[in-house]
């Protein structure tokens, strides 16, 4: 009985994962919430605001350049955006997440 329930749950989870493959994963959203909102959700900071068209010109530089700038810092943007635990891949995922217009 328990085994059957577990199998059903697993199948449901697998299906959900397949459907949500295009969506940003929870870990990326969590990192964004913790480290990037301080500026990227506060327009007075001068940072390009998340989920707005302010990312269009930035994206023209290419995602790799944006990731490099996030790692090294740029202008008033601190190195790693203060996220010491972020990997290069994490930063890339967060940037692509923030750059989505909603
Ligand atoms: C203390 C404020 C602050 C925090 C925290 C911060 N940013 Fe920024 N960010 C900025 C500012 C200000 C700019 C605009 C810099 C400029 O172009 O002069 C910026 C710009 C950027 C850019 C564009 C770089 C470019 O080449 O145009 C990226 C990418 C970026 N931030 C990523 C992140 C990520 C990812 C995080 C979280 C891990 C983060 N930032 C956290 C202030 C911040």
């Amino acid at each position: 009985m328990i085994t059957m329930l577990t199998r059903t749950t697993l199948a449901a989870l697998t299906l959900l994962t397949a459907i949500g493959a295009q969506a940003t994963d929870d870990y990326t959203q969590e990192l964004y919430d913790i480290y990037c909102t301080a500026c990227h959700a506060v327009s007075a900071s001068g940072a390009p605001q998340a989920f707005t068209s302010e990312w269009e010109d930035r994206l023209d530089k290419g995602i790799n350049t944006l990731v490099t700038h996030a790692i090294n810092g740029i202008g008033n943007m601190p190195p790693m955006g203060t996220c010491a635990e972020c990997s290069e891949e994490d930063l890339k995922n967060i940037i692509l997440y923030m750059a989505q217009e909603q």
Side-chain angles (χ1 to χ4, degrees):
M1 183 65 184
I2 290 171
T3 315
M4 267 189 64
L5 194 67
T6 309
R7 277 204 191 128
T8 314
T9 310
L10 275 179
L13 277 177
T14 310
L15 189 67
L16 277 177
T17 310
I19 293 169
Q22 298 303 313
T24 305
D25 60 282
D26 289 350
Y27 181 64
T28 299
Q29 294 188 26
E30 209 172 289
L31 290 174
Y32 161 75
D33 283 342
I34 297 171
Y35 296 105
C36 314
T37 47
C39 301
H40 289 275
V42 180
S43 54
S45 70
Q49 296 302 285
F51 320 125
T52 71
S53 57
E54 289 177 36
W55 284 95
E56 274 172 21
D57 294 346
R58 308 261 176 185
L59 284 171
D60 286 345
K61 301 182 199 182
I63 184 66
N64 292 338
T65 302
L66 295 185
V67 172
T68 303
H69 289 167
I71 291 171
N72 298 331
I74 177 174
N76 289 331
M77 155 93 185
M80 303 300 290
T82 67
C83 179
E85 67 174 294
C86 284
S87 68
E88 204 173 318
E89 190 66 22
D90 292 337
L91 290 173
K92 183 178 169 182
N93 289 338
I94 301 171
I95 295 165
L96 291 174
Y97 173 57
M98 286 200 286
Q100 288 171 4
E101 279 187 60
Q102 286 181 357

PDB file of all heavy atoms in Angstrom, residues 67-92:
ATOM      1  N   VAL A  67      27.277  37.644 -17.214  1.00  0.00           N
ATOM      2  CA  VAL A  67      27.719  36.771 -16.122  1.00  0.00           C
ATOM      3  C   VAL A  67      29.087  37.233 -15.611  1.00  0.00           C
ATOM      4  O   VAL A  67      29.307  37.331 -14.402  1.00  0.00           O
ATOM      5  CB  VAL A  67      27.774  35.287 -16.576  1.00  0.00           C
ATOM      6  CG1 VAL A  67      28.425  34.415 -15.510  1.00  0.00           C
ATOM      7  CG2 VAL A  67      26.374  34.765 -16.879  1.00  0.00           C
ATOM      8  N   THR A  68      29.994  37.563 -16.529  1.00  0.00           N
ATOM      9  CA  THR A  68      31.328  38.047 -16.132  1.00  0.00           C
ATOM     10  C   THR A  68      31.216  39.320 -15.302  1.00  0.00           C
ATOM     11  O   THR A  68      31.878  39.470 -14.272  1.00  0.00           O
ATOM     12  CB  THR A  68      32.195  38.325 -17.385  1.00  0.00           C
ATOM     13  OG1 THR A  68      32.255  37.124 -18.146  1.00  0.00           O
ATOM     14  CG2 THR A  68      33.601  38.743 -17.006  1.00  0.00           C
ATOM     15  N   HIS A  69      30.333  40.238 -15.731  1.00  0.00           N
ATOM     16  CA  HIS A  69      30.148  41.481 -14.985  1.00  0.00           C
ATOM     17  C   HIS A  69      29.533  41.209 -13.610  1.00  0.00           C
ATOM     18  O   HIS A  69      29.863  41.892 -12.637  1.00  0.00           O
ATOM     19  CB  HIS A  69      29.271  42.460 -15.778  1.00  0.00           C
ATOM     20  CG  HIS A  69      29.959  43.024 -16.980  1.00  0.00           C
ATOM     21  ND1 HIS A  69      29.309  43.704 -17.971  1.00  0.00           N
ATOM     22  CD2 HIS A  69      31.279  42.977 -17.345  1.00  0.00           C
ATOM     23  CE1 HIS A  69      30.190  44.070 -18.902  1.00  0.00           C
ATOM     24  NE2 HIS A  69      31.376  43.635 -18.545  1.00  0.00           N
ATOM     25  N   ALA A  70      28.645  40.222 -13.545  1.00  0.00           N
ATOM     26  CA  ALA A  70      28.042  39.866 -12.247  1.00  0.00           C
ATOM     27  C   ALA A  70      29.123  39.304 -11.317  1.00  0.00           C
ATOM     28  O   ALA A  70      29.146  39.604 -10.123  1.00  0.00           O
ATOM     29  CB  ALA A  70      26.914  38.855 -12.441  1.00  0.00           C
ATOM     30  N   ILE A  71      30.028  38.522 -11.865  1.00  0.00           N
ATOM     31  CA  ILE A  71      31.103  37.922 -11.047  1.00  0.00           C
ATOM     32  C   ILE A  71      32.064  39.011 -10.550  1.00  0.00           C
ATOM     33  O   ILE A  71      32.388  39.084  -9.369  1.00  0.00           O
ATOM     34  CB  ILE A  71      31.886  36.868 -11.859  1.00  0.00           C
ATOM     35  CG1 ILE A  71      30.985  35.652 -12.124  1.00  0.00           C
ATOM     36  CG2 ILE A  71      33.162  36.454 -11.125  1.00  0.00           C
ATOM     37  CD1 ILE A  71      31.567  34.640 -13.099  1.00  0.00           C
ATOM     38  N   ASN A  72      32.482  39.875 -11.458  1.00  0.00           N
ATOM     39  CA  ASN A  72      33.493  40.885 -11.112  1.00  0.00           C
ATOM     40  C   ASN A  72      32.910  42.159 -10.509  1.00  0.00           C
ATOM     41  O   ASN A  72      33.629  42.939  -9.892  1.00  0.00           O
ATOM     42  CB  ASN A  72      34.291  41.275 -12.364  1.00  0.00           C
ATOM     43  CG  ASN A  72      35.038  40.089 -12.940  1.00  0.00           C
ATOM     44  OD1 ASN A  72      35.423  39.176 -12.216  1.00  0.00           O
ATOM     45  ND2 ASN A  72      35.240  40.090 -14.241  1.00  0.00           N
ATOM     46  N   GLY A  73      31.601  42.377 -10.725  1.00  0.00           N
ATOM     47  CA  GLY A  73      30.982  43.627 -10.314  1.00  0.00           C
ATOM     48  C   GLY A  73      31.129  44.628 -11.452  1.00  0.00           C
ATOM     49  O   GLY A  73      31.995  44.484 -12.314  1.00  0.00           O
ATOM     50  N   ILE A  74      30.243  45.623 -11.450  1.00  0.00           N
ATOM     51  CA  ILE A  74      30.278  46.663 -12.491  1.00  0.00           C
ATOM     52  C   ILE A  74      29.587  47.896 -11.922  1.00  0.00           C
ATOM     53  O   ILE A  74      28.501  47.787 -11.333  1.00  0.00           O
ATOM     54  CB  ILE A  74      29.595  46.170 -13.795  1.00  0.00           C
ATOM     55  CG1 ILE A  74      29.565  47.289 -14.842  1.00  0.00           C
ATOM     56  CG2 ILE A  74      28.208  45.627 -13.554  1.00  0.00           C
ATOM     57  CD1 ILE A  74      29.040  46.833 -16.215  1.00  0.00           C
ATOM     58  N   GLY A  75      30.204  49.075 -12.037  1.00  0.00           N
ATOM     59  CA  GLY A  75      29.623  50.287 -11.468  1.00  0.00           C
ATOM     60  C   GLY A  75      29.329  50.080  -9.985  1.00  0.00           C
ATOM     61  O   GLY A  75      30.197  49.650  -9.233  1.00  0.00           O
ATOM     62  N   ASN A  76      28.074  50.339  -9.587  1.00  0.00           N
ATOM     63  CA  ASN A  76      27.690  50.159  -8.186  1.00  0.00           C
ATOM     64  C   ASN A  76      27.244  48.741  -7.865  1.00  0.00           C
ATOM     65  O   ASN A  76      26.759  48.462  -6.767  1.00  0.00           O
ATOM     66  CB  ASN A  76      26.556  51.128  -7.823  1.00  0.00           C
ATOM     67  CG  ASN A  76      27.040  52.552  -7.746  1.00  0.00           C
ATOM     68  OD1 ASN A  76      28.210  52.808  -7.428  1.00  0.00           O
ATOM     69  ND2 ASN A  76      26.166  53.491  -8.063  1.00  0.00           N
ATOM     70  N   MET A  77      27.405  47.856  -8.830  1.00  0.00           N
ATOM     71  CA  MET A  77      27.015  46.457  -8.605  1.00  0.00           C
ATOM     72  C   MET A  77      28.201  45.728  -7.968  1.00  0.00           C
ATOM     73  O   MET A  77      29.284  45.668  -8.544  1.00  0.00           O
ATOM     74  CB  MET A  77      26.647  45.864  -9.962  1.00  0.00           C
ATOM     75  CG  MET A  77      26.787  44.380 -10.067  1.00  0.00           C
ATOM     76  SD  MET A  77      25.252  43.537  -9.676  1.00  0.00           S
ATOM     77  CE  MET A  77      25.863  41.858  -9.760  1.00  0.00           C
ATOM     78  N   PRO A  78      28.019  45.200  -6.747  1.00  0.00           N
ATOM     79  CA  PRO A  78      29.128  44.529  -6.056  1.00  0.00           C
ATOM     80  C   PRO A  78      29.461  43.173  -6.690  1.00  0.00           C
ATOM     81  O   PRO A  78      28.579  42.553  -7.289  1.00  0.00           O
ATOM     82  CB  PRO A  78      28.596  44.340  -4.632  1.00  0.00           C
ATOM     83  CG  PRO A  78      27.112  44.377  -4.752  1.00  0.00           C
ATOM     84  CD  PRO A  78      26.774  45.204  -5.957  1.00  0.00           C
ATOM     85  N   PRO A  79      30.722  42.730  -6.579  1.00  0.00           N
ATOM     86  CA  PRO A  79      31.090  41.420  -7.118  1.00  0.00           C
ATOM     87  C   PRO A  79      30.150  40.334  -6.606  1.00  0.00           C
ATOM     88  O   PRO A  79      29.768  40.348  -5.442  1.00  0.00           O
ATOM     89  CB  PRO A  79      32.517  41.205  -6.588  1.00  0.00           C
ATOM     90  CG  PRO A  79      33.039  42.568  -6.321  1.00  0.00           C
ATOM     91  CD  PRO A  79      31.852  43.405  -5.922  1.00  0.00           C
ATOM     92  N   MET A  80      29.755  39.423  -7.469  1.00  0.00           N
ATOM     93  CA  MET A  80      28.852  38.303  -7.169  1.00  0.00           C
ATOM     94  C   MET A  80      27.465  38.780  -6.722  1.00  0.00           C
ATOM     95  O   MET A  80      26.658  37.981  -6.257  1.00  0.00           O
ATOM     96  CB  MET A  80      29.433  37.381  -6.070  1.00  0.00           C
ATOM     97  CG  MET A  80      30.794  36.803  -6.363  1.00  0.00           C
ATOM     98  SD  MET A  80      30.840  35.801  -7.860  1.00  0.00           S
ATOM     99  CE  MET A  80      29.888  34.358  -7.377  1.00  0.00           C
ATOM    100  N   GLY A  81      27.191  40.093  -6.861  1.00  0.00           N
ATOM    101  CA  GLY A  81      25.905  40.609  -6.401  1.00  0.00           C
ATOM    102  C   GLY A  81      25.690  40.269  -4.939  1.00  0.00           C
ATOM    103  O   GLY A  81      24.569  40.089  -4.496  1.00  0.00           O
ATOM    104  N   THR A  82      26.769  40.164  -4.199  1.00  0.00           N
ATOM    105  CA  THR A  82      26.836  39.792  -2.764  1.00  0.00           C
ATOM    106  C   THR A  82      26.555  38.306  -2.510  1.00  0.00           C
ATOM    107  O   THR A  82      26.527  37.870  -1.367  1.00  0.00           O
ATOM    108  CB  THR A  82      25.871  40.615  -1.861  1.00  0.00           C
ATOM    109  OG1 THR A  82      24.518  40.269  -2.188  1.00  0.00           O
ATOM    110  CG2 THR A  82      26.071  42.125  -2.040  1.00  0.00           C
ATOM    111  N   CYS A  83      26.356  37.520  -3.547  1.00  0.00           N
ATOM    112  CA  CYS A  83      26.046  36.088  -3.344  1.00  0.00           C
ATOM    113  C   CYS A  83      27.324  35.257  -3.447  1.00  0.00           C
ATOM    114  O   CYS A  83      27.654  34.748  -4.517  1.00  0.00           O
ATOM    115  CB  CYS A  83      25.026  35.609  -4.373  1.00  0.00           C
ATOM    116  SG  CYS A  83      24.633  33.847  -4.204  1.00  0.00           S
ATOM    117  N   ALA A  84      28.017  35.128  -2.314  1.00  0.00           N
ATOM    118  CA  ALA A  84      29.282  34.389  -2.307  1.00  0.00           C
ATOM    119  C   ALA A  84      29.070  32.908  -2.627  1.00  0.00           C
ATOM    120  O   ALA A  84      29.956  32.252  -3.162  1.00  0.00           O
ATOM    121  CB  ALA A  84      29.964  34.554  -0.955  1.00  0.00           C
ATOM    122  N   GLU A  85      27.882  32.392  -2.294  1.00  0.00           N
ATOM    123  CA  GLU A  85      27.633  30.960  -2.502  1.00  0.00           C
ATOM    124  C   GLU A  85      27.223  30.646  -3.948  1.00  0.00           C
ATOM    125  O   GLU A  85      27.099  29.488  -4.320  1.00  0.00           O
ATOM    126  CB  GLU A  85      26.547  30.465  -1.547  1.00  0.00           C
ATOM    127  CG  GLU A  85      25.171  31.060  -1.838  1.00  0.00           C
ATOM    128  CD  GLU A  85      24.052  30.467  -0.991  1.00  0.00           C
ATOM    129  OE1 GLU A  85      23.778  29.273  -1.166  1.00  0.00           O
ATOM    130  OE2 GLU A  85      23.468  31.206  -0.176  1.00  0.00           O
ATOM    131  N   CYS A  86      26.993  31.674  -4.761  1.00  0.00           N
ATOM    132  CA  CYS A  86      26.526  31.447  -6.125  1.00  0.00           C
ATOM    133  C   CYS A  86      27.648  30.937  -7.035  1.00  0.00           C
ATOM    134  O   CYS A  86      28.763  31.455  -7.002  1.00  0.00           O
ATOM    135  CB  CYS A  86      25.979  32.741  -6.732  1.00  0.00           C
ATOM    136  SG  CYS A  86      24.339  33.210  -6.147  1.00  0.00           S
ATOM    137  N   SER A  87      27.333  29.952  -7.836  1.00  0.00           N
ATOM    138  CA  SER A  87      28.264  29.490  -8.867  1.00  0.00           C
ATOM    139  C   SER A  87      28.008  30.334 -10.118  1.00  0.00           C
ATOM    140  O   SER A  87      27.033  31.084 -10.185  1.00  0.00           O
ATOM    141  CB  SER A  87      28.017  28.020  -9.182  1.00  0.00           C
ATOM    142  OG  SER A  87      26.766  27.875  -9.827  1.00  0.00           O
ATOM    143  N   GLU A  88      28.889  30.188 -11.101  1.00  0.00           N
ATOM    144  CA  GLU A  88      28.712  30.889 -12.366  1.00  0.00           C
ATOM    145  C   GLU A  88      27.354  30.528 -12.983  1.00  0.00           C
ATOM    146  O   GLU A  88      26.633  31.379 -13.492  1.00  0.00           O
ATOM    147  CB  GLU A  88      29.858  30.466 -13.296  1.00  0.00           C
ATOM    148  CG  GLU A  88      30.158  31.467 -14.361  1.00  0.00           C
ATOM    149  CD  GLU A  88      31.406  31.080 -15.149  1.00  0.00           C
ATOM    150  OE1 GLU A  88      32.393  30.632 -14.540  1.00  0.00           O
ATOM    151  OE2 GLU A  88      31.360  31.215 -16.382  1.00  0.00           O
ATOM    152  N   GLU A  89      27.030  29.231 -12.913  1.00  0.00           N
ATOM    153  CA  GLU A  89      25.774  28.721 -13.461  1.00  0.00           C
ATOM    154  C   GLU A  89      24.575  29.337 -12.719  1.00  0.00           C
ATOM    155  O   GLU A  89      23.578  29.703 -13.339  1.00  0.00           O
ATOM    156  CB  GLU A  89      25.761  27.186 -13.342  1.00  0.00           C
ATOM    157  CG  GLU A  89      24.630  26.493 -14.088  1.00  0.00           C
ATOM    158  CD  GLU A  89      24.729  26.625 -15.612  1.00  0.00           C
ATOM    159  OE1 GLU A  89      25.839  26.871 -16.122  1.00  0.00           O
ATOM    160  OE2 GLU A  89      23.687  26.497 -16.270  1.00  0.00           O
ATOM    161  N   ASP A  90      24.705  29.459 -11.390  1.00  0.00           N
ATOM    162  CA  ASP A  90      23.627  30.064 -10.587  1.00  0.00           C
ATOM    163  C   ASP A  90      23.381  31.504 -11.050  1.00  0.00           C
ATOM    164  O   ASP A  90      22.243  31.913 -11.261  1.00  0.00           O
ATOM    165  CB  ASP A  90      23.990  30.102  -9.096  1.00  0.00           C
ATOM    166  CG  ASP A  90      24.044  28.716  -8.462  1.00  0.00           C
ATOM    167  OD1 ASP A  90      23.413  27.795  -8.998  1.00  0.00           O
ATOM    168  OD2 ASP A  90      24.727  28.580  -7.429  1.00  0.00           O
ATOM    169  N   LEU A  91      24.481  32.259 -11.208  1.00  0.00           N
ATOM    170  CA  LEU A  91      24.350  33.666 -11.618  1.00  0.00           C
ATOM    171  C   LEU A  91      23.678  33.751 -12.978  1.00  0.00           C
ATOM    172  O   LEU A  91      22.785  34.566 -13.191  1.00  0.00           O
ATOM    173  CB  LEU A  91      25.727  34.337 -11.658  1.00  0.00           C
ATOM    174  CG  LEU A  91      26.383  34.574 -10.287  1.00  0.00           C
ATOM    175  CD1 LEU A  91      27.806  35.072 -10.454  1.00  0.00           C
ATOM    176  CD2 LEU A  91      25.573  35.573  -9.452  1.00  0.00           C
ATOM    177  N   LYS A  92      24.095  32.880 -13.884  1.00  0.00           N
ATOM    178  CA  LYS A  92      23.510  32.867 -15.231  1.00  0.00           C
ATOM    179  C   LYS A  92      22.002  32.615 -15.146  1.00  0.00           C
ATOM    180  O   LYS A  92      21.206  33.324 -15.775  1.00  0.00           O
ATOM    181  CB  LYS A  92      24.201  31.786 -16.071  1.00  0.00           C
ATOM    182  CG  LYS A  92      23.730  31.729 -17.495  1.00  0.00           C
ATOM    183  CD  LYS A  92      24.519  30.672 -18.227  1.00  0.00           C
ATOM    184  CE  LYS A  92      23.928  30.376 -19.587  1.00  0.00           C
ATOM    185  NZ  LYS A  92      24.678  29.307 -20.273  1.00  0.00           N
TER     186      LYS A  92
END
